[in-house]
């Protein structure tokens, strides 16, 4: 009797594969919507690039798996968002990822902060996940059909990222004296950049119904983080200490190096396909 | 009698259990499966722990040569593929450690042996990845050789090992194909890209052939492993099968296999290949390869840097359990 | 009785067994094992390790030390008794062959 193993069957030929890039073939983005898509796409791309470093370096193999899953989700979001941004002027996701210079990147500075130890990575990831959960929840209502579709897929994924980061925050906060000390140090380094995520820019005035006003995400973010901080007895540092400016192309010293690595090979071979 | 079905830790092996041995021999003769709590000869257990843990270590160390290019992958699609592939290797390491653990050796102990430099892993991962095309060559040649080795292991006599291999083989089907595609894309690209591809094939071809282990007459563990239905084909048989598969694939790619002695032998119906440098193989195996020190240091650093995180989570779990007990 | 691996002092995180339901309507089936500090992390790790190709819609995790198994040495006493009790199977009843709806 031959019977297919009902568990874990991976049959390549019979798979129904979902689209890799969400929203392909929809209407082209307006120039403003494209700029907004770069905000979110660059956040996701730069975060994915940072998290990719952990693959083979995680604190435990199971955590290598988790961080890689998160990185792959974010890279998926980045590819969809950059592809959409590119429809405004005929560029591809790779044109945008590999051939823009530092000052043309629109990620928040928070995304480009160094990985540091696991606590630094975790704090950065938690802040983004909590922010993105609120963001993508609302962006599903966007009048830009592609942004809405990307948000609908991303919303489910970032909900898991938040869960994962929240659980680890609890463990680092309440685990050992050493882990708590490291968490506090990480918060001190990372948290000053959080406020930048919530600043409204003039661009938003031209994107009514298309984009989500960052300032409107502040209250639910503060509530979620406040509850977690209270539960774990952690005092969160001032989130508005750093000057920010990533949405205008003003970055930390870290982004240049990160991009140098990301782009080096592609730029050595202009016009090549891979 | 609480007994974990998958993590039995026998304190002593009763090697003179005649009933156990008879049953074991009967199962092997019938080409059936041995399961964790069955009686098995101590040497069978030891041989399996050695083989499965080495296999697991190879997956884990094997992440590094490719992880080296995740940050520089030349397109976002390739970056995603590479991340997923290196992640799979971590997963495969985990499946294999689980299988080995059913024989009574905890993972932390196997892991400690690895970072202490007391355990072996596949020599191939002690070579450096010097260019992007190495991602293609590793997928095509190294994963190709690994698949040749692994498919017969899906029928290995030890149940948990065979089951882990089934899952691994299914998942790995994409690894070789993506490597082939990388090379194909390069071979259709610019002259610089074509040169890159050929250079990578030149460097990875011979080491990948040596992945099947030493020639049969020098292979110390092979005979017993075959008698126990762990290994199904000899090193040289598998190597020959691999070379026979490679030749037409190389032709499809348009790359040259770096072996001047490679020729089709009408008499045997197989591709005859040149002498391999077994001295080089022994050197790398003995720790004197290009990257042995680096690979171990990388693994050790991850293990040591992560200790405080693992301890934090363990401490949190203890505190929660204590609190729950107090409340009850 | 031997000490189960989960309570093994040589490991910082205990061992968990993972069961995955591949699809609605199917049982949870043993997928493998993993290490995790507690149940919450075990289920997350299981999700990240065993369902990344859409292999599951639901997961159970069980501490490996909580599983009780039958004694392999008592195999005969436990599992050979059904042999010969053919009347438990429908194919045993051949006289009704050809009669509709039986």
């Amino acid at each position: 009797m031959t019977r297919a193993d009902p568990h874990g069957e991976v049959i390549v030929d019979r798979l129904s594969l979902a689209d890799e890039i969400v929203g392909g073939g929809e209407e082209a983005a307006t120039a403003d919507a494209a700029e907004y898509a770069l905000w979110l796409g660059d956040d996701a791309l730069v975060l994915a690039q940072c998290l990719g470093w952990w693959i083979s370096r995680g604190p435990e193999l199971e955590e290598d798996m988790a961080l890689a899953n998160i990185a792959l989700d974010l890279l998926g979001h980045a590819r969809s968002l950059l592809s959409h941004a590119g429809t405004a002027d005929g560029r591809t996701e790779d044109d945008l990822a590999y051939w823009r210079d530092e000052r043309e990147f629109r990620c928040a500075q928070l995304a480009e902060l160094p990985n540091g130890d696991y606590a630094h990575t975790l704090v950065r990831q938690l802040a983004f996940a909590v922010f993105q959960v609120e963001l993508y929840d609302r962006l599903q209502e966007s009048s830009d059909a592609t942004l809405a579709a990307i948000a609908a897929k991303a919303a489910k994924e970032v909900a898991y990222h938040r869960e994962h980061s929240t659980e680890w925050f609890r463990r680092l906060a309440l685990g050992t004296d050493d882990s708590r000390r490291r968490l506090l140090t990480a918060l001190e380094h990372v948290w000053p950049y959080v406020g930048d995520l919530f600043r409204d820019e003039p661009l938003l005035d031209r994107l009514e119904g298309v984009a989500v006003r960052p300032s409107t995400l502040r209250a639910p973010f503060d509530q979620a983080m406040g509850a977690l901080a209270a539960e774990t007895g952690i005092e969160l540092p001032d989130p508005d200490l750093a000057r920010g400016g990533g949405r205008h192309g003003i970055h930390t010293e870290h982004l240049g190096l990160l991009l140098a690595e990301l782009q080096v090979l592609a730029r050595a071979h202009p016009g090549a396909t891979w | 009698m609480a007994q974990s079905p998958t993590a039995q830790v026998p304190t002593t092996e009763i090697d003179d259990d005649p009933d156990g041995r008879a049953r074991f021999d009967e199962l092997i003769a019938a080409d059936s499966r041995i399961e964790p709590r069955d009686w098995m000869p101590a040497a069978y257990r030891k041989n399996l722990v050695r083989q499965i843990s080495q296999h697991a270590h190879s997956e884990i160390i094997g992440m590094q040569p490719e992880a080296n290019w995740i940050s520089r992958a030349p397109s976002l699609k390739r970056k995603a593929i590479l991340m997923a592939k290196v992640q799979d290797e971590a997963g495969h390491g985990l499946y294999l450690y689980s299988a080995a653990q059913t024989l009574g050796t905890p993972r932390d102990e196997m892991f400690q042996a690895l970072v202490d430099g007391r355990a072996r892993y596949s020599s191939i991962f002690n070579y450096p990845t010097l260019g992007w095309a190495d991602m293609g060559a590793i997928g095509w040649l190294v994963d190709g050789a690994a698949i040749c080795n692994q498919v017969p292991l899906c029928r290995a006599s030890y149940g948990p090992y065979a089951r882990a291999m089934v899952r691994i083989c299914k998942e790995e089907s994409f690894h070789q194909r993506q490597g082939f595609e990388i090379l194909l894309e390069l071979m259709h690209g610019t002259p610089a890209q074509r040169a890159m591809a050929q250079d990578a094939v030149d460097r990875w071809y011979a080491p990948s052939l040596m992945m099947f282990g030493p020639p049969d007459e020098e292979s110390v563990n092979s005979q017993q492993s075959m008698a126990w239905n762990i290994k199904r084909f000899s090193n040289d048989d598998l190597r020959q099968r691999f070379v026979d598969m490679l030749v037409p694939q190389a032709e499809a790619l348009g790359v040259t296999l770096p072996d001047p002695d490679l020729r089709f032998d009408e008499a045997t119906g197989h591709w005859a290949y040149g002498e391999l440098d077994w001295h080089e193989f022994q050197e790398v195996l003995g720790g004197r390869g290009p990257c042995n020190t680096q690979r171990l240091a990388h693994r050790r650093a991850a293990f040591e840097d992560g200790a405080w995180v693992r301890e934090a989570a363990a401490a949190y779990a203890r505190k929660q359990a204590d609190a729950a007990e107090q409340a009850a | 009785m031997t000490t189960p691996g989960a309570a093994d002092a040589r490991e910082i995180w205990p061992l968990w067994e993972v069961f995955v339901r591949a699809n609605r309507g199917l049982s949870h089936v043993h997928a493998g094992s993993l290490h995790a500090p507690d149940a919450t992390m075990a289920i997350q790790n299981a999700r990240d390790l065993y369902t990344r190709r859409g292999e599951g819609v639901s997961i159970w995790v069980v501490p490996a030390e909580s599983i009780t198994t039958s004694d392999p040495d008592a195999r005969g006493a436990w599992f050979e008794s059904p042999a010969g009790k053919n009347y438990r199977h429908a194919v045993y009843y051949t006289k009704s062959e050809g009669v509709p709806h039986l």
Side-chain angles (χ1 to χ4, degrees), chain A residues 2-249:
Chain A
T2 56
R3 237 247 219 85
D5 167 14
H7 170 73
E9 190 77 350
V10 181
I11 303 160
V12 179
D13 305 316
R14 262 194 288 144
L15 278 179
S16 63
L17 296 168
D19 289 339
E20 236 173 287
I21 305 291
V22 178
E26 302 279 344
E27 259 177 76
T30 64
D32 287 334
E35 174 77 4
Y36 179 69
L38 285 182
W39 286 22
L40 312 186
D42 287 347
D43 282 350
L45 173 60
V46 169
L47 275 176
Q49 177 78 358
C50 291
L51 290 176
W53 179 88
W54 282 100
I55 305 175
S56 81
R57 296 183 174 90
E60 185 53 286
L61 290 173
E62 279 86 354
E63 193 55 15
D64 273 40
M65 300 299 297
L67 292 171
N69 275 339
I70 294 174
L72 282 167
D73 285 344
L74 290 166
L75 189 53
H77 308 165
R79 294 183 61 198
S80 294
L81 287 160
L82 295 188
S83 294
H84 185 49
T87 60
D89 58 5
R91 284 188 281 179
T92 66
E93 57 180 76
D94 287 335
D95 292 338
L96 288 165
Y98 292 91
W99 297 92
R100 277 180 303 151
D101 289 332
E102 200 180 331
R103 296 293 288 268
E104 297 168 273
F105 268 74
R106 292 292 176 264
C107 52
Q109 291 180 355
L110 178 66
E112 68 211 40
L113 295 182
N115 280 327
D117 66 2
Y118 182 73
H120 283 74
T121 294
L122 186 267
V123 168
R124 185 187 64 202
Q125 196 51 43
L126 174 66
F128 258 104
V130 174
F131 165 73
Q132 286 170 332
V133 163
E134 304 300 334
L135 166 72
Y136 288 129
D137 179 44
R138 286 163 181 71
L139 192 62
Q140 295 178 59
E141 315 287 318
S142 173
S143 58
D144 179 319
T146 301
L147 285 180
I150 295 170
K153 169 139 173 59
K156 296 177 199 141
E157 296 173 350
V158 296
Y160 182 77
H161 303 175
R162 182 173 72 174
E163 213 174 299
H164 174 265
S165 306
T166 301
E167 291 299 341
W168 271 113
F169 188 91
R170 290 196 173 106
R171 280 156 186 77
L172 298 194
L174 303 174
T176 61
D177 291 346
D178 185 33
S179 69
R180 190 176 180 84
R181 182 185 58 76
R182 285 171 181 269
L183 180 66
L184 291 172
T185 307
L187 282 165
E188 194 186 311
H189 293 164
V190 174
W191 216 251
Y193 294 87
V194 164
D196 200 23
L197 291 173
F198 302 101
R199 284 183 199 137
D200 291 339
E201 302 289 346
L203 174 70
L204 272 304
D205 298 337
R206 306 193 296 274
L207 287 172
E208 209 55 54
V210 173
V212 178
R213 224 166 237 291
S215 59
T216 63
L217 302 174
R218 185 78 191 237
F221 178 92
D222 286 346
Q223 197 183 358
M225 280 310 306
L228 184 58
E231 177 200 321
T232 50
I234 295 271
E235 201 179 320
L236 295 171
D238 178 2
D240 292 301
L241 201 60
R243 191 162 295 183
R247 306 302 190 202
H248 300 291

Side-chain angles (χ1 to χ4, degrees), chain B residues 205-213 239 242-243 246 273 276 278:
Chain B
Y205 170 76
S208 75
L209 259 57
M210 292 195 268
M211 283 174 70
F212 297 96
R239 190 169 11 250
F242 181 57
V243 174
L246 281 189
Y273 51 92
L276 292 163
W278 292 108

Side-chain angles (χ1 to χ4, degrees), chain B residues 1 3-7 9 23 37 87-88 91 94-95 98 101 106-109 171 174 310-311 313 317, chain C residues 1-3 5 8 10-13 15 17 33 35 37 49-50 52-53 64-65 67-70 72 75:
Chain B
M1 45 165 234
Q3 281 255 342
S4 163
T6 62
V9 185
R23 171 81 179 155
R37 295 194 58 214
Q87 181 199 39
D88 268 355
L94 283 170
Y95 304 156
S98 292
Q101 184 148 11
R107 183 172 97 199
D108 284 358
E109 200 173 293
E171 296 187 352
F174 103 78
R310 297 192 296 275
E311 278 156 21
Chain C
M1 290 288 108
T2 54
T3 315
D8 198 307
R10 292 172 291 175
E11 297 214 278
I12 182 160
W13 288 359
L15 188 72
E17 298 301 330
S33 59
H35 289 77
L49 181 59
Y50 287 106
R52 61 196 194 284
R53 284 175 170 78
E65 65 171 343
I67 294 179
T68 307
T69 70
S70 57
R75 202 172 38 247

Side-chain angles (χ1 to χ4, degrees), chain B residues 212-220 222 235-236 239 275 278:
Chain B
F212 297 96
D216 292 346
E217 63 272 18
E218 291 161 34
S219 182
V220 279
S222 280
N235 294 354
D236 285 332
R239 190 169 11 250
E275 195 70 29
W278 292 108

